[in-house]
Amino acid sequence: MLKSILAVARLHLEELFSRILGYIMRRFLRSAMIVFSWFVVPYSRYTNIKVLRRKLPPIRSHLLEIPAVDLAKLIRTRKIKSEEVVEAYIERCRQVNPLINAIVQDRFEEALEEAREIDNVIAMGINSVDSMEELTPLLGIPVTVKESIAVKGMTNQAGRVFKTPQIAKSDAPVVEQIKRSGGIILLVSNTPELCLLWETYNNVTGQTKNPYDLKRTPGGSSGGEAALLASGASLLGLTSDIGGSSRLPAMFSGIWGHKPTPYAVSFRGHHPTSDFPKWGDFFTIAPMTRYAKDLPLLLKCMSDPTGPKLTLDRAISVNGIRFFFMDNDGPSGMMRPLSRDLHAAINRVATDFNAKRVNIRKMKWSLDISLSAMLTMKNIETIYHKTEEGEQPKTVCKETVKYFFGCSDSILPSVIFGHLQNFMKIIPNSRHKHLASIIEALKTEFKEMLGNDGVFLYPTFPNTAHQHYQIYHKLLEPMYMAIFNTLGLPVTNCMIGLDRRNLPMGIQVVANPGQDHLCLAVAREMERRYGGWVRPPSEDSHSSNGSSKQRG
């Protein structure tokens, strides 16, 4: 009897300690962000003094503004040639990359040769149009790939500094599938070192800039892809997502990014990786497109034949979908409230779709449960693990000292990631168990609320694209996105207009596992209602003026 009483008392004490520890951590982190802002904001403004107020060259070729679904049909039916399309995209890349700095390595000549071969095969009439549509739906379409995803013969070091360039010896499974579907790989694009930041810069390629304002970031870690897509230099992109790495760049750049149901797309062939058994619960390779109508096509071509089957061809009426929404993370006070324009835009979307406002109280734990789940995963590839042959492994303390003396090859997130992992080890297991129980409770709540015909509307980020480096005092806000990696739910960032600065605004559409088709159906409807991608301001005054027509 006494043992039972003591055991119960111990559990209550552990829970009380867990809550106190959580409160202290949350207050500390919010205070730290305030202090960081004192240094980050002035530094950001100082570095932007050097950035010229330039705009992109205008888009001249009509081929650059045709969605992939329509472009593929035109190629199959010999209305246009793949070579013409690839040439147009290569020319656009050469125009914009000196300004946005998004390309790590190109394969333009090889892509042109592949396009000519495809045109020859089509001209010979070996396969029928229907057969090409079924077996090679991307035939002749250029595709760009985040550099952290392996493309045979191309650099594949995820922004890390190596004395000897790291070249992919084989294609990632998802790249193989794109090639089998007829896609032509055009280039690999920039990413922060080991994809560890929601901004895109590293010590190899440098900093990628937002096409809507070069003084601002396109987000990260898939910022290279987003910048190319938004500037009209790409149409379809392969990215990755573990904490919003596909969705934040999509929002900041006014395009569409989807995090699929876990394991629906193979996560292999990517840096960083992990042999942790549940790595695929959180991490996935993800599609990013300029047009919402292209998301189902690209995701279908990317889907792992051995993974969960997605019903992407299923016809869906938005009228039959139930909508729910929240415009904050609950009563936690942890994440910043939305900007005025974003708050108005998201509530307008909720009204337009007759969404029911809900109060999922456990969302206030988004930060705690996401950090606990992700930072306790073992054997994640970091700068402290994989090194070049003959090089001594790096240590956390030594690399930290080197960084602050300006001697490290790495960027700050890569350096401090080791400290975060070590910090998580000192947190009592009871705390992690308590947070794990909240995760399971949230999964159940979403499952029951959404069923197989419901979606949840939620902010992607509380503000539109900010100036470079300002993410360092907003490191809590990506939990608006990371929570859905933690819960294993499919989610799409949707473009819903421009704010008063003519910067893109976005919203997340979330569904239950396996219900990706609901997210994509809503995305297509939002594109129809709100217009979707808008040309970034260009040297052509007419294009610049036109971009203001879709303000939220």
Side-chain angles (χ1 to χ4, degrees):
M1 181 69 177
L2 180 60
K3 286 184 178 179
S4 298
I5 294 173
L6 290 174
V8 171
R10 181 180 177 183
L11 285 173
H12 283 299
L13 285 172
E14 286 182 348
E15 184 175 348
L16 178 62
F17 176 73
S18 175
R19 291 181 182 276
I20 293 172
L21 181 62
Y23 177 81
I24 293 171
M25 287 178 58
R26 290 152 76 85
R27 293 305 103 194
F28 170 77
L29 288 171
R30 176 46 70 198
S31 299
M33 292 301 103
I34 294 172
V35 173
F36 285 178
S37 71
W38 300 342
F39 302 94
V40 170
V41 173
Y43 179 76
S44 171
R45 290 174 178 169
Y46 169 75
T47 57
N48 270 324
I49 293 174
K50 306 172 188 176
V51 180
L52 298 177
R53 282 281 183 187
R54 295 185 61 186
K55 295 178 181 178
L56 302 186
I59 296 174
R60 301 291 188 192
S61 172
H62 74 283
L63 295 176
L64 299 177
E65 297 186 90
I66 303 174
V69 171
D70 303 322
L71 200 56
K73 183 177 181 180
L74 291 171
I75 292 173
R76 286 192 297 267
T77 54
R78 307 185 206 181
K79 301 288 177 56
I80 58 174
K81 290 186 175 181
S82 174
E83 184 180 3
E84 297 176 64
V85 175
V86 172
E87 281 181 337
Y89 274 97
I90 289 173
E91 177 61 25
R92 184 61 179 169
C93 285
R94 287 173 171 158
Q95 287 176 348
V96 303
N97 196 59
L99 295 173
I100 62 174
N101 190 39
I103 300 173
V104 178
Q105 184 182 9
D106 68 66
R107 55 185 307 276
F108 292 159
E109 293 306 316
E110 296 90 335
L112 282 169
E113 185 58 37
E114 290 168 13
R116 294 184 193 109
E117 291 175 6
I118 287 171
D119 289 332
N120 290 335
V121 170
I122 293 174
M124 292 167 64
I126 297 174
N127 299 310
S128 68
V129 172
D130 290 342
S131 174
M132 287 187 284
E133 182 178 7
E134 180 182 355
L135 300 177
T136 53
L138 294 180
L139 191 62
I141 301 296
V143 180
T144 54
V145 182
K146 187 176 181 179
E147 193 263 355
S148 55
I149 302 170
V151 177
K152 186 177 180 180
M154 303 290 280
T155 175
N156 181 220
Q157 52 198 61
R160 287 190 65 183
V161 174
F162 288 102
K163 293 178 181 176
T164 304
Q166 305 294 294
I167 305 300
K169 297 179 181 178
S170 60
D171 289 324
V174 69
V175 173
E176 290 180 354
Q177 289 171 234
I178 292 298
K179 289 181 176 180
R180 282 199 296 269
S181 297
I184 298 173
I185 306 301
L186 203 58
L187 55 86
V188 290
S189 62
N190 205 22
T191 175
E193 186 176 30
L194 290 173
C195 307
L196 286 175
L197 186 61
W198 294 277
E199 175 155 357
T200 300
Y201 74 94
N202 57 57
N203 290 328
V204 181
T205 308
Q207 185 180 71
T208 298
K209 297 174 175 61
N210 192 310
Y212 289 87
D213 183 346
L214 300 181
K215 291 179 179 288
R216 298 176 186 271
T217 177
S221 62
S222 305
E225 281 302 305
L228 288 166
L229 285 157
S231 60
S234 178
L235 186 59
L236 306 175
L238 303 189
T239 68
S240 58
D241 194 306
I242 193 172
S245 296
S246 178
R247 286 161 284 152
L248 184 65
M251 175 192 168
F252 279 7
S253 304
I255 52 176
W256 310 81
H258 178 71
K259 184 201 85 66
T261 291
Y263 304 101
V265 176
S266 173
F267 59 79
R268 305 196 181 280
H270 183 276
H271 292 297
T273 188
S274 172
D275 59 9
F276 185 69
K278 293 187 176 182
W279 173 248
D281 290 4
F282 301 91
F283 173 81
T284 183
I285 292 176
M288 186 184 284
T289 64
R290 199 170 348 129
Y291 301 102
K293 67 185 296 185
D294 290 336
L295 274 177
L297 170 67
L298 182 55
L299 181 55
K300 185 177 179 180
C301 294
M302 293 170 64
S303 295
D304 188 345
T306 65
K309 304 304 178 188
L310 304 179
T311 55
L312 300 175
D313 292 327
R314 182 177 171 187
I316 293 291
S317 170
V318 175
N319 293 331
I321 297 176
R322 296 178 299 121
F323 289 82
F324 305 87
F325 88 104
M326 287 175 62
D327 56 14
N328 57 59
D329 62 328
S332 74
M334 281 304 295
M335 290 187 265
R336 297 167 195 262
L338 305 184
S339 69
R340 185 170 62 178
D341 287 350
L342 266 171
H343 184 272
I346 287 176
N347 278 271
R348 169 175 54 86
V349 170
T351 300
D352 290 347
F353 285 89
N354 296 314
K356 177 183 177 182
R357 183 184 288 274
V358 293
N359 181 16
I360 305 174
R361 298 187 63 82
K362 290 184 177 63
M363 290 293 280
K364 70 180 182 181
W365 297 102
S366 296
L367 174 71
D368 307 66
I369 63 179
S370 297
L371 290 180
S372 173
M374 293 183 188
L375 290 176
T376 54
M377 287 190 287
K378 296 179 175 61
N379 301 325
I380 297 176
E381 179 185 346
T382 70
I383 62 171
Y384 304 109
H385 289 79
K386 183 181 177 183
T387 56
E388 283 188 272
E389 188 174 344
E391 293 286 319
Q392 290 294 321
K394 297 179 178 181
T395 62
V396 176
C397 292
K398 184 177 179 180
E399 199 62 27
T400 303
V401 172
K402 286 175 63 179
Y403 178 83
F404 285 106
F405 277 93
C407 301
S408 174
D409 290 329
S410 295
I411 64 174
L412 182 59
S414 296
V415 175
I416 65 173
F417 191 75
H419 292 285
L420 293 173
Q421 288 182 310
N422 290 336
F423 175 74
M424 281 295 164
K425 293 176 183 177
I426 68 174
I427 294 177
N429 283 332
S430 58
R431 171 70 176 168
H432 292 304
K433 289 180 180 178
H434 174 64
L435 295 175
S437 69
I438 296 175
I439 293 174
E440 293 307 314
L442 260 177
K443 286 182 178 180
T444 300
E445 190 167 355
F446 271 99
K447 182 178 181 181
E448 293 175 351
M449 179 178 75
L450 299 180
N452 61 6
D453 64 347
V455 297
F456 177 62
L457 307 179
Y458 197 60
T460 305
F461 202 76
N463 58 260
T464 51
H466 43 245
Q467 293 190 345
H468 296 291
Y469 304 115
Q470 293 203 13
I471 189 63
Y472 281 113
H473 74 96
K474 301 177 182 180
L475 294 174
L476 307 185
E477 280 62 57
M479 298 307 120
Y480 274 112
M481 300 170 290
I483 180 61
F484 301 115
N485 296 83
T486 304
L487 298 178
L489 302 178
V491 50
T492 306
N493 173 79
C494 299
M495 162 67 165
I496 55 173
L498 303 175
D499 71 1
R500 68 191 64 208
R501 294 191 181 95
N502 282 335
L503 297 172
M505 299 184 291
I507 189 173
Q508 293 183 100
V509 180
V510 187
N512 268 331
Q515 306 299 318
D516 300 54
H517 59 281
L518 297 178
C519 299
L520 303 187
V522 174
R524 291 195 296 275
E525 179 62 18
M526 287 190 181
E527 183 174 51
R528 187 188 70 81
R529 292 194 186 196
Y530 308 125
W533 171 73
V534 179
R535 286 185 179 189
S538 72
E539 295 163 353
D540 181 344
S541 60
H542 297 293
S543 175
S544 179
N545 292 338
S547 71
S548 64
K549 292 181 180 179
Q550 297 185 23
R551 286 187 182 177

